[in-house]
């Protein structure tokens, strides 16, 4: 597993678990999809999803034999 994919997976889990715990344990205090929720959680989901996609894409290109050096 490459570094970007690992960072993406760990980050998504570290973002989703507290979000789900707060959403189920304290629904009155932690309303979902309000302005404050979007401000606090949406950028994190975008960031970790971006790392995960980069990790998956770089793994695919490495598997095809592309080392990024180009042909000479």
């Amino acid at each position: 597993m490459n570094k970007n994919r690992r960072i993406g997976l760990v980050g998504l889990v570290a973002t989703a678990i507290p979000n789900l715990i707060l959403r189920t344990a304290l629904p009155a205090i932690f309303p979902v999809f309000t302005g404050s929720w979007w401000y606090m959680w949406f950028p994190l989901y975008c960031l970790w999803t971006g790392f995960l996609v980069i990790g998956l894409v770089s793994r695919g290109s490495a598997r095809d034999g592309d080392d990024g050096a180009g042909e000479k």
Side-chain angles (χ1 to χ4, degrees):
M1 183 180 303
N2 67 16
K3 188 170 80 172
N4 285 330
R5 189 170 56 166
R6 184 176 303 131
I7 290 171
L9 287 173
V10 170
L12 276 174
V13 169
T15 301
I17 288 176
N19 197 353
L20 291 172
I21 290 171
L22 289 171
R23 193 183 313 182
T24 56
L26 308 167
I29 297 172
F30 189 73
V32 181
F33 301 120
T34 61
S36 62
W37 184 91
W38 284 103
Y39 178 74
M40 186 165 54
W41 293 102
F42 187 71
L44 292 173
Y45 280 113
C46 291
L47 175 73
W48 300 127
T49 304
F51 274 117
L52 182 60
V53 168
I54 289 168
L56 291 173
V57 168
S58 65
R59 178 175 181 245
S61 66
R63 187 177 6 172
D64 294 337
D66 180 20
D67 61 357
E71 294 184 31
K72 292 188 178 186

